[in-house]
Amino acid sequence: MNSKVSVHKLNLFYKDFQALRDINMEVPAHLVTALIGPSGCGKSTFLRTLNRMNDLYKGVRVQGRVLLDGMDIYGEKCDVVNLRKKVGMVFQKPNPFPMSIYDNVAFGPRIHGIKNRKKLDEIVEMSLRAAALWDEVSDRLRQGALGLSGGQQQRLCIARLLAVEPEVLLMDEPTSALDPMATLKVEELIQVLKQDYTIVIVTHNMQQAARVSDYTAFFLTGDLVEYGATGDIFTTPKEQRTEDYITGRFG
């Protein structure tokens, strides 16, 4: 396995509560890794450790190591702003900015110093094409992003992320607020994007995990119970707790 992210003995505490316990995991490059498990099991918390989003919460302590291409992202030398450029996140609810479609996508590149209009035009078109949205919005780039449908807003958020040229995409239940057709479009997009990006997705939907992921990690009460190829996890899990969860006995 060619690992993009390596996690070693990761523990995370919210003040006195331990949310993650001794997590060891290799996230393969250019594949989709799904994180599954019941609510409150630690999967979203784990996702946020991969770009230090948990730093934004008071009282959080992290122990262990998370290596991105061999660099410890919790080490003193890590530039957190640059880390979040490399490792971007798509949230459960689409969160476009209250500005035009164009300005949403151009926002990140402008923050990082790109002012040339022609260059911005190229980035916006390339990012919207990569997010499978260009054909739907190319004639209304100056219109407000909040007028898009939920599924289009989520793909716009993905385009906004791609515009700053990340390497890893973190997706926290990216289709849970979408209808079935919009969900299908995002799932199809994930399959295309993994050719260029490493993707980690949190999902409550077992069928979605089976459809879109190459590897699956099952979390339960802060522990990584089982991790392996998705086909193996869903057909021949090694742990009884994994089988009980994916067959609907709890969760």
Side-chain angles (χ1 to χ4, degrees), residues 27-91:
V27 178
H30 297 294
L31 293 174
V32 180
T33 299
L35 311 180
I36 64 171
S39 296
C41 68
K43 56 190 184 296
S44 290
T45 297
F46 174 75
L47 190 76
R48 291 192 297 268
T49 66
L50 303 183
N51 71 346
R52 291 184 54 170
M53 287 289 283
N54 289 311
D55 290 12
L56 304 175
Y57 297 90
K58 281 186 178 179
V60 169
R61 288 184 294 118
V62 176
Q63 299 170 349
R65 302 175 76 208
V66 178
L67 307 179
L68 175 66
D69 292 327
M71 181 196 76
D72 187 354
I73 70 171
Y74 286 91
E76 292 179 3
K77 295 180 180 177
C78 179
D79 179 339
V80 177
V81 173
N82 190 49
L83 169 67
R84 292 187 186 140
K85 180 174 178 285
K86 284 185 177 179
V87 186
M89 183 171 281
V90 178
F91 296 93

Short mmCIF file of all heavy atoms in Angstrom, two decimals, residues 27-91:
data_model
loop_
_atom_site.label_atom_id
_atom_site.label_comp_id
_atom_site.label_asym_id
_atom_site.label_seq_id
_atom_site.Cartn_x
_atom_site.Cartn_y
_atom_site.Cartn_z
N VAL A 27 -3.58 5.45 5.42
CA VAL A 27 -4.56 5.91 4.42
C VAL A 27 -3.89 5.87 3.05
O VAL A 27 -2.94 6.61 2.81
CB VAL A 27 -5.04 7.34 4.74
CG1 VAL A 27 -6.02 7.81 3.66
CG2 VAL A 27 -5.70 7.38 6.12
N PRO A 28 -4.37 4.99 2.14
CA PRO A 28 -3.70 4.84 0.85
C PRO A 28 -3.92 6.01 -0.09
O PRO A 28 -4.99 6.63 -0.10
CB PRO A 28 -4.33 3.56 0.28
CG PRO A 28 -5.67 3.47 0.94
CD PRO A 28 -5.52 4.09 2.29
N ALA A 29 -2.90 6.32 -0.86
CA ALA A 29 -2.98 7.42 -1.83
C ALA A 29 -3.87 7.05 -3.00
O ALA A 29 -3.93 5.90 -3.43
CB ALA A 29 -1.57 7.76 -2.33
N HIS A 30 -4.59 8.05 -3.50
CA HIS A 30 -5.42 7.91 -4.71
C HIS A 30 -6.45 6.79 -4.62
O HIS A 30 -6.75 6.13 -5.62
CB HIS A 30 -4.54 7.73 -5.95
CG HIS A 30 -3.66 8.91 -6.21
ND1 HIS A 30 -4.17 10.14 -6.57
CD2 HIS A 30 -2.32 9.07 -6.12
CE1 HIS A 30 -3.16 10.99 -6.72
NE2 HIS A 30 -2.04 10.37 -6.44
N LEU A 31 -6.97 6.62 -3.42
CA LEU A 31 -8.07 5.69 -3.19
C LEU A 31 -9.05 6.37 -2.24
O LEU A 31 -8.76 7.42 -1.67
CB LEU A 31 -7.58 4.36 -2.60
CG LEU A 31 -6.70 3.48 -3.50
CD1 LEU A 31 -6.17 2.28 -2.73
CD2 LEU A 31 -7.45 3.03 -4.75
N VAL A 32 -10.23 5.74 -2.08
CA VAL A 32 -11.24 6.28 -1.18
C VAL A 32 -11.30 5.40 0.07
O VAL A 32 -11.48 4.18 -0.03
CB VAL A 32 -12.63 6.32 -1.84
CG1 VAL A 32 -13.68 6.89 -0.88
CG2 VAL A 32 -12.59 7.13 -3.13
N THR A 33 -11.12 6.03 1.23
CA THR A 33 -11.24 5.32 2.50
C THR A 33 -12.51 5.80 3.20
O THR A 33 -12.68 7.01 3.42
CB THR A 33 -10.01 5.59 3.40
OG1 THR A 33 -8.84 5.12 2.73
CG2 THR A 33 -10.15 4.88 4.74
N ALA A 34 -13.40 4.88 3.53
CA ALA A 34 -14.64 5.22 4.23
C ALA A 34 -14.48 4.96 5.73
O ALA A 34 -13.90 3.95 6.14
CB ALA A 34 -15.80 4.41 3.68
N LEU A 35 -15.00 5.87 6.54
CA LEU A 35 -15.04 5.71 7.99
C LEU A 35 -16.50 5.48 8.37
O LEU A 35 -17.35 6.32 8.10
CB LEU A 35 -14.50 6.96 8.69
CG LEU A 35 -13.17 7.52 8.20
CD1 LEU A 35 -12.80 8.77 9.00
CD2 LEU A 35 -12.06 6.48 8.28
N ILE A 36 -16.77 4.32 8.97
CA ILE A 36 -18.14 3.97 9.34
C ILE A 36 -18.22 3.70 10.84
O ILE A 36 -17.20 3.48 11.50
CB ILE A 36 -18.67 2.76 8.55
CG1 ILE A 36 -17.86 1.49 8.88
CG2 ILE A 36 -18.65 3.03 7.05
CD1 ILE A 36 -18.44 0.21 8.31
N GLY A 37 -19.46 3.69 11.34
CA GLY A 37 -19.68 3.42 12.75
C GLY A 37 -20.87 4.23 13.23
O GLY A 37 -21.29 5.19 12.57
N PRO A 38 -21.44 3.87 14.38
CA PRO A 38 -22.62 4.57 14.90
C PRO A 38 -22.28 6.00 15.32
O PRO A 38 -21.10 6.35 15.47
CB PRO A 38 -23.06 3.72 16.09
CG PRO A 38 -21.83 2.98 16.50
CD PRO A 38 -21.03 2.75 15.26
N SER A 39 -23.30 6.81 15.54
CA SER A 39 -23.09 8.19 15.99
C SER A 39 -22.29 8.20 17.28
O SER A 39 -22.52 7.38 18.17
CB SER A 39 -24.43 8.88 16.21
OG SER A 39 -25.14 9.00 15.00
N GLY A 40 -21.36 9.15 17.36
CA GLY A 40 -20.57 9.30 18.58
C GLY A 40 -19.42 8.32 18.71
O GLY A 40 -18.81 8.24 19.78
N CYS A 41 -19.09 7.60 17.63
CA CYS A 41 -18.05 6.57 17.72
C CYS A 41 -16.65 7.13 17.52
O CYS A 41 -15.66 6.44 17.76
CB CYS A 41 -18.30 5.47 16.70
SG CYS A 41 -18.09 6.00 14.99
N GLY A 42 -16.54 8.38 17.04
CA GLY A 42 -15.22 8.99 16.86
C GLY A 42 -14.79 9.18 15.42
O GLY A 42 -13.72 9.71 15.16
N LYS A 43 -15.63 8.77 14.46
CA LYS A 43 -15.18 8.83 13.06
C LYS A 43 -15.00 10.25 12.55
O LYS A 43 -14.02 10.54 11.87
CB LYS A 43 -16.10 8.02 12.14
CG LYS A 43 -17.57 8.39 12.16
CD LYS A 43 -18.41 7.37 11.40
CE LYS A 43 -19.87 7.79 11.33
NZ LYS A 43 -20.51 7.86 12.65
N SER A 44 -15.91 11.16 12.88
CA SER A 44 -15.75 12.56 12.46
C SER A 44 -14.61 13.22 13.21
O SER A 44 -13.87 14.04 12.65
CB SER A 44 -17.05 13.34 12.65
OG SER A 44 -18.03 12.92 11.72
N THR A 45 -14.47 12.89 14.48
CA THR A 45 -13.34 13.40 15.26
C THR A 45 -12.03 12.97 14.61
O THR A 45 -11.10 13.76 14.45
CB THR A 45 -13.40 12.90 16.71
OG1 THR A 45 -14.58 13.41 17.34
CG2 THR A 45 -12.18 13.34 17.51
N PHE A 46 -11.96 11.69 14.23
CA PHE A 46 -10.75 11.20 13.56
C PHE A 46 -10.51 11.95 12.26
O PHE A 46 -9.37 12.36 11.96
CB PHE A 46 -10.86 9.70 13.28
CG PHE A 46 -9.71 9.16 12.49
CD1 PHE A 46 -8.47 8.95 13.08
CD2 PHE A 46 -9.84 8.88 11.14
CE1 PHE A 46 -7.39 8.48 12.34
CE2 PHE A 46 -8.77 8.40 10.39
CZ PHE A 46 -7.54 8.20 11.00
N LEU A 47 -11.56 12.14 11.48
CA LEU A 47 -11.43 12.87 10.21
C LEU A 47 -10.80 14.24 10.44
O LEU A 47 -9.90 14.66 9.70
CB LEU A 47 -12.80 13.01 9.54
CG LEU A 47 -12.80 13.52 8.10
CD1 LEU A 47 -12.37 12.42 7.15
CD2 LEU A 47 -14.19 14.03 7.70
N ARG A 48 -11.26 14.92 11.49
CA ARG A 48 -10.78 16.28 11.77
C ARG A 48 -9.33 16.29 12.25
O ARG A 48 -8.66 17.33 12.17
CB ARG A 48 -11.68 16.99 12.78
CG ARG A 48 -13.07 17.32 12.24
CD ARG A 48 -13.81 18.28 13.16
NE ARG A 48 -14.06 17.71 14.48
CZ ARG A 48 -15.15 17.05 14.83
NH1 ARG A 48 -16.13 16.88 13.96
NH2 ARG A 48 -15.29 16.58 16.06
N THR A 49 -8.84 15.17 12.77
CA THR A 49 -7.43 15.14 13.18
C THR A 49 -6.50 15.21 11.96
O THR A 49 -5.33 15.59 12.09
CB THR A 49 -7.06 13.86 13.98
OG1 THR A 49 -7.17 12.71 13.13
CG2 THR A 49 -7.92 13.71 15.21
N LEU A 50 -7.01 14.86 10.78
CA LEU A 50 -6.15 14.76 9.59
C LEU A 50 -5.80 16.12 9.00
O LEU A 50 -4.91 16.21 8.16
CB LEU A 50 -6.80 13.85 8.54
CG LEU A 50 -7.14 12.43 9.00
CD1 LEU A 50 -7.71 11.62 7.87
CD2 LEU A 50 -5.91 11.73 9.60
N ASN A 51 -6.54 17.18 9.40
CA ASN A 51 -6.10 18.53 9.01
C ASN A 51 -6.17 19.50 10.19
O ASN A 51 -6.24 20.70 10.01
CB ASN A 51 -6.88 19.06 7.81
CG ASN A 51 -8.32 19.41 8.14
OD1 ASN A 51 -8.84 19.02 9.18
ND2 ASN A 51 -8.97 20.14 7.25
N ARG A 52 -6.17 18.94 11.38
CA ARG A 52 -6.10 19.70 12.64
C ARG A 52 -7.28 20.64 12.84
O ARG A 52 -7.17 21.66 13.51
CB ARG A 52 -4.76 20.45 12.73
CG ARG A 52 -3.59 19.50 12.92
CD ARG A 52 -2.26 20.20 13.13
NE ARG A 52 -2.27 21.16 14.22
CZ ARG A 52 -1.16 21.74 14.70
NH1 ARG A 52 0.01 21.42 14.19
NH2 ARG A 52 -1.25 22.62 15.67
N MET A 53 -8.44 20.24 12.31
CA MET A 53 -9.65 21.04 12.56
C MET A 53 -10.05 20.99 14.03
O MET A 53 -10.72 21.90 14.53
CB MET A 53 -10.81 20.54 11.69
CG MET A 53 -10.68 20.87 10.22
SD MET A 53 -10.90 22.61 9.86
CE MET A 53 -12.69 22.74 9.99
N ASN A 54 -9.64 19.94 14.74
CA ASN A 54 -9.97 19.85 16.16
C ASN A 54 -9.25 20.93 16.97
O ASN A 54 -9.63 21.19 18.12
CB ASN A 54 -9.60 18.46 16.71
CG ASN A 54 -10.52 17.38 16.21
OD1 ASN A 54 -11.73 17.51 16.26
ND2 ASN A 54 -9.95 16.30 15.70
N ASP A 55 -8.22 21.55 16.38
CA ASP A 55 -7.53 22.65 17.08
C ASP A 55 -8.50 23.79 17.39
O ASP A 55 -8.24 24.60 18.28
CB ASP A 55 -6.40 23.21 16.20
CG ASP A 55 -5.23 22.25 16.06
OD1 ASP A 55 -5.38 21.08 16.44
OD2 ASP A 55 -4.18 22.68 15.55
N LEU A 56 -9.59 23.87 16.63
CA LEU A 56 -10.54 24.97 16.79
C LEU A 56 -11.45 24.79 18.00
O LEU A 56 -12.21 25.69 18.35
CB LEU A 56 -11.39 25.11 15.51
CG LEU A 56 -10.59 25.30 14.21
CD1 LEU A 56 -11.52 25.30 13.01
CD2 LEU A 56 -9.77 26.58 14.26
N TYR A 57 -11.38 23.60 18.63
CA TYR A 57 -12.24 23.33 19.79
C TYR A 57 -11.42 23.50 21.07
O TYR A 57 -10.26 23.07 21.15
CB TYR A 57 -12.79 21.90 19.74
CG TYR A 57 -13.70 21.65 18.55
CD1 TYR A 57 -13.19 21.17 17.34
CD2 TYR A 57 -15.07 21.87 18.62
CE1 TYR A 57 -14.01 20.94 16.25
CE2 TYR A 57 -15.90 21.63 17.54
CZ TYR A 57 -15.36 21.17 16.35
OH TYR A 57 -16.17 20.95 15.27
N LYS A 58 -12.04 24.10 22.09
CA LYS A 58 -11.35 24.30 23.37
C LYS A 58 -11.16 22.97 24.09
O LYS A 58 -12.03 22.11 24.06
CB LYS A 58 -12.16 25.26 24.26
CG LYS A 58 -11.99 26.72 23.90
CD LYS A 58 -12.70 27.59 24.93
CE LYS A 58 -12.50 29.06 24.59
NZ LYS A 58 -13.21 29.93 25.56
N GLY A 59 -10.05 22.85 24.77
CA GLY A 59 -9.83 21.70 25.64
C GLY A 59 -9.46 20.41 24.93
O GLY A 59 -9.46 19.35 25.55
N VAL A 60 -9.12 20.48 23.63
CA VAL A 60 -8.75 19.27 22.90
C VAL A 60 -7.25 19.02 23.05
O VAL A 60 -6.44 19.93 22.88
CB VAL A 60 -9.11 19.40 21.40
CG1 VAL A 60 -8.49 18.27 20.60
CG2 VAL A 60 -10.62 19.39 21.23
N ARG A 61 -6.91 17.77 23.38
CA ARG A 61 -5.51 17.35 23.44
C ARG A 61 -5.31 16.16 22.51
O ARG A 61 -6.14 15.24 22.49
CB ARG A 61 -5.11 16.92 24.86
CG ARG A 61 -4.98 18.07 25.85
CD ARG A 61 -4.51 17.57 27.19
NE ARG A 61 -5.48 16.70 27.85
CZ ARG A 61 -5.28 15.43 28.16
NH1 ARG A 61 -4.14 14.84 27.86
NH2 ARG A 61 -6.23 14.73 28.76
N VAL A 62 -4.22 16.19 21.77
CA VAL A 62 -3.92 15.11 20.84
C VAL A 62 -2.57 14.51 21.20
O VAL A 62 -1.59 15.24 21.43
CB VAL A 62 -3.90 15.62 19.38
CG1 VAL A 62 -3.48 14.50 18.43
CG2 VAL A 62 -5.26 16.17 18.99
N GLN A 63 -2.51 13.19 21.27
CA GLN A 63 -1.25 12.46 21.47
C GLN A 63 -1.05 11.52 20.29
O GLN A 63 -2.01 11.05 19.69
CB GLN A 63 -1.30 11.65 22.77
CG GLN A 63 -1.51 12.47 24.02
CD GLN A 63 -1.80 11.59 25.24
OE1 GLN A 63 -2.04 10.40 25.11
NE2 GLN A 63 -1.79 12.20 26.41
N GLY A 64 0.21 11.25 19.98
CA GLY A 64 0.52 10.35 18.86
C GLY A 64 0.98 11.14 17.65
O GLY A 64 1.24 12.35 17.73
N ARG A 65 1.06 10.45 16.53
CA ARG A 65 1.61 11.08 15.32
C ARG A 65 0.68 10.86 14.13
O ARG A 65 0.10 9.79 13.97
CB ARG A 65 2.99 10.50 14.99
CG ARG A 65 3.99 10.65 16.11
CD ARG A 65 5.29 9.94 15.78
NE ARG A 65 6.09 10.69 14.81
CZ ARG A 65 6.94 10.13 13.96
NH1 ARG A 65 7.05 8.82 13.91
NH2 ARG A 65 7.64 10.87 13.13
N VAL A 66 0.54 11.91 13.32
CA VAL A 66 -0.16 11.83 12.05
C VAL A 66 0.80 12.34 10.99
O VAL A 66 1.19 13.52 11.02
CB VAL A 66 -1.46 12.66 12.04
CG1 VAL A 66 -2.14 12.58 10.68
CG2 VAL A 66 -2.42 12.19 13.14
N LEU A 67 1.23 11.47 10.10
CA LEU A 67 2.22 11.83 9.08
C LEU A 67 1.56 12.00 7.73
O LEU A 67 0.85 11.11 7.25
CB LEU A 67 3.29 10.74 8.98
CG LEU A 67 3.99 10.32 10.29
CD1 LEU A 67 5.00 9.22 10.02
CD2 LEU A 67 4.67 11.51 10.95
N LEU A 68 1.79 13.15 7.11
CA LEU A 68 1.35 13.42 5.74
C LEU A 68 2.58 13.42 4.87
O LEU A 68 3.45 14.28 5.00
CB LEU A 68 0.63 14.78 5.67
CG LEU A 68 0.23 15.25 4.27
CD1 LEU A 68 -0.85 14.35 3.67
CD2 LEU A 68 -0.24 16.70 4.31
N ASP A 69 2.70 12.41 4.01
CA ASP A 69 3.92 12.25 3.20
C ASP A 69 5.16 12.27 4.08
O ASP A 69 6.19 12.86 3.73
CB ASP A 69 4.02 13.33 2.12
CG ASP A 69 2.95 13.18 1.06
OD1 ASP A 69 2.56 12.03 0.75
OD2 ASP A 69 2.49 14.21 0.52
N GLY A 70 5.04 11.66 5.26
CA GLY A 70 6.19 11.56 6.16
C GLY A 70 6.39 12.72 7.11
O GLY A 70 7.21 12.65 8.01
N MET A 71 5.63 13.82 6.94
CA MET A 71 5.77 14.98 7.82
C MET A 71 4.74 14.92 8.93
O MET A 71 3.55 14.72 8.68
CB MET A 71 5.57 16.27 7.02
CG MET A 71 5.73 17.52 7.87
SD MET A 71 5.05 19.01 7.10
CE MET A 71 3.29 18.77 7.33
N ASP A 72 5.20 15.08 10.17
CA ASP A 72 4.31 15.03 11.33
C ASP A 72 3.50 16.32 11.39
O ASP A 72 4.05 17.40 11.67
CB ASP A 72 5.13 14.85 12.61
CG ASP A 72 4.24 14.63 13.84
OD1 ASP A 72 3.01 14.73 13.71
OD2 ASP A 72 4.80 14.34 14.92
N ILE A 73 2.19 16.23 11.13
CA ILE A 73 1.37 17.44 11.07
C ILE A 73 1.13 18.04 12.46
O ILE A 73 0.67 19.18 12.57
CB ILE A 73 0.03 17.21 10.34
CG1 ILE A 73 -0.91 16.33 11.16
CG2 ILE A 73 0.26 16.64 8.94
CD1 ILE A 73 -2.33 16.25 10.58
N TYR A 74 1.45 17.30 13.52
CA TYR A 74 1.35 17.84 14.87
C TYR A 74 2.72 18.27 15.40
O TYR A 74 2.84 18.64 16.56
CB TYR A 74 0.69 16.83 15.82
CG TYR A 74 -0.80 16.74 15.57
CD1 TYR A 74 -1.33 15.82 14.66
CD2 TYR A 74 -1.69 17.60 16.20
CE1 TYR A 74 -2.69 15.75 14.41
CE2 TYR A 74 -3.06 17.55 15.95
CZ TYR A 74 -3.55 16.62 15.06
OH TYR A 74 -4.89 16.57 14.80
N GLY A 75 3.73 18.22 14.54
CA GLY A 75 5.07 18.66 14.93
C GLY A 75 5.18 20.17 14.91
O GLY A 75 4.36 20.88 14.33
N GLU A 76 6.23 20.69 15.54
CA GLU A 76 6.42 22.13 15.67
C GLU A 76 6.61 22.82 14.31
O GLU A 76 6.29 24.00 14.15
CB GLU A 76 7.62 22.43 16.57
CG GLU A 76 7.41 22.04 18.02
CD GLU A 76 8.63 22.33 18.87
OE1 GLU A 76 9.62 22.89 18.33
OE2 GLU A 76 8.60 22.01 20.07
N LYS A 77 7.15 22.10 13.35
CA LYS A 77 7.47 22.71 12.05
C LYS A 77 6.27 22.80 11.10
O LYS A 77 6.36 23.38 10.03
CB LYS A 77 8.60 21.93 11.36
CG LYS A 77 9.93 21.99 12.11
CD LYS A 77 10.99 21.20 11.37
CE LYS A 77 12.32 21.26 12.12
NZ LYS A 77 13.36 20.45 11.46
N CYS A 78 5.14 22.22 11.51
CA CYS A 78 3.99 22.19 10.61
C CYS A 78 3.31 23.56 10.52
O CYS A 78 2.96 24.16 11.54
CB CYS A 78 2.98 21.14 11.09
SG CYS A 78 1.50 21.07 10.05
N ASP A 79 3.14 24.04 9.31
CA ASP A 79 2.38 25.27 9.03
C ASP A 79 0.92 24.87 8.85
O ASP A 79 0.55 24.26 7.84
CB ASP A 79 2.94 25.92 7.75
CG ASP A 79 2.19 27.19 7.36
OD1 ASP A 79 1.03 27.37 7.80
OD2 ASP A 79 2.74 27.99 6.59
N VAL A 80 0.08 25.21 9.82
CA VAL A 80 -1.31 24.73 9.82
C VAL A 80 -2.09 25.29 8.63
O VAL A 80 -2.94 24.60 8.04
CB VAL A 80 -2.00 25.04 11.16
CG1 VAL A 80 -3.46 24.60 11.13
CG2 VAL A 80 -1.28 24.35 12.30
N VAL A 81 -1.83 26.54 8.26
CA VAL A 81 -2.53 27.13 7.11
C VAL A 81 -2.20 26.36 5.84
O VAL A 81 -3.08 26.02 5.05
CB VAL A 81 -2.15 28.62 6.96
CG1 VAL A 81 -2.74 29.19 5.67
CG2 VAL A 81 -2.64 29.42 8.16
N ASN A 82 -0.92 26.05 5.66
CA ASN A 82 -0.51 25.28 4.49
C ASN A 82 -1.06 23.86 4.55
O ASN A 82 -1.44 23.28 3.53
CB ASN A 82 1.02 25.25 4.40
CG ASN A 82 1.50 24.68 3.08
OD1 ASN A 82 1.03 25.07 2.01
ND2 ASN A 82 2.41 23.73 3.14
N LEU A 83 -1.12 23.30 5.76
CA LEU A 83 -1.68 21.95 5.93
C LEU A 83 -3.12 21.91 5.45
O LEU A 83 -3.53 21.00 4.72
CB LEU A 83 -1.62 21.54 7.41
CG LEU A 83 -2.40 20.26 7.77
CD1 LEU A 83 -1.77 19.03 7.14
CD2 LEU A 83 -2.50 20.10 9.29
N ARG A 84 -3.92 22.92 5.83
CA ARG A 84 -5.35 22.92 5.47
C ARG A 84 -5.55 23.25 4.00
O ARG A 84 -6.62 23.01 3.46
CB ARG A 84 -6.12 23.88 6.38
CG ARG A 84 -6.16 23.35 7.81
CD ARG A 84 -7.06 24.15 8.71
NE ARG A 84 -6.92 23.67 10.08
CZ ARG A 84 -6.88 24.45 11.15
NH1 ARG A 84 -6.97 25.76 11.00
NH2 ARG A 84 -6.74 23.93 12.36
N LYS A 85 -4.53 23.80 3.35
CA LYS A 85 -4.57 23.96 1.90
C LYS A 85 -4.36 22.59 1.23
O LYS A 85 -5.01 22.26 0.25
CB LYS A 85 -3.48 24.94 1.46
CG LYS A 85 -3.42 25.21 -0.04
CD LYS A 85 -2.41 26.32 -0.33
CE LYS A 85 -2.28 26.58 -1.82
NZ LYS A 85 -1.52 25.56 -2.54
N LYS A 86 -3.44 21.81 1.81
CA LYS A 86 -3.15 20.48 1.25
C LYS A 86 -4.25 19.47 1.58
O LYS A 86 -4.52 18.56 0.81
CB LYS A 86 -1.82 19.94 1.82
CG LYS A 86 -0.58 20.55 1.22
CD LYS A 86 0.64 19.85 1.79
CE LYS A 86 1.92 20.37 1.15
NZ LYS A 86 3.11 19.69 1.72
N VAL A 87 -4.84 19.62 2.77
CA VAL A 87 -5.85 18.66 3.25
C VAL A 87 -7.13 19.44 3.51
O VAL A 87 -7.33 20.01 4.58
CB VAL A 87 -5.38 17.94 4.53
CG1 VAL A 87 -6.38 16.86 4.92
CG2 VAL A 87 -3.99 17.32 4.33
N GLY A 88 -8.01 19.47 2.51
CA GLY A 88 -9.23 20.26 2.61
C GLY A 88 -10.42 19.44 3.06
O GLY A 88 -10.39 18.21 3.04
N MET A 89 -11.48 20.13 3.48
CA MET A 89 -12.65 19.43 4.01
C MET A 89 -13.95 19.90 3.38
O MET A 89 -14.16 21.09 3.16
CB MET A 89 -12.73 19.60 5.53
CG MET A 89 -13.89 18.84 6.17
SD MET A 89 -13.83 18.82 7.97
CE MET A 89 -12.62 17.55 8.28
N VAL A 90 -14.82 18.92 3.08
CA VAL A 90 -16.18 19.18 2.64
C VAL A 90 -17.11 18.75 3.78
O VAL A 90 -16.99 17.63 4.29
CB VAL A 90 -16.52 18.37 1.37
CG1 VAL A 90 -17.97 18.60 0.96
CG2 VAL A 90 -15.58 18.75 0.23
N PHE A 91 -18.02 19.64 4.16
CA PHE A 91 -18.84 19.39 5.34
C PHE A 91 -20.18 18.75 4.99
O PHE A 91 -20.57 18.66 3.83
CB PHE A 91 -19.04 20.70 6.11
CG PHE A 91 -17.75 21.26 6.65
CD1 PHE A 91 -17.05 22.20 5.91
CD2 PHE A 91 -17.24 20.84 7.86
CE1 PHE A 91 -15.85 22.72 6.39
CE2 PHE A 91 -16.05 21.34 8.35
CZ PHE A 91 -15.34 22.29 7.61
#
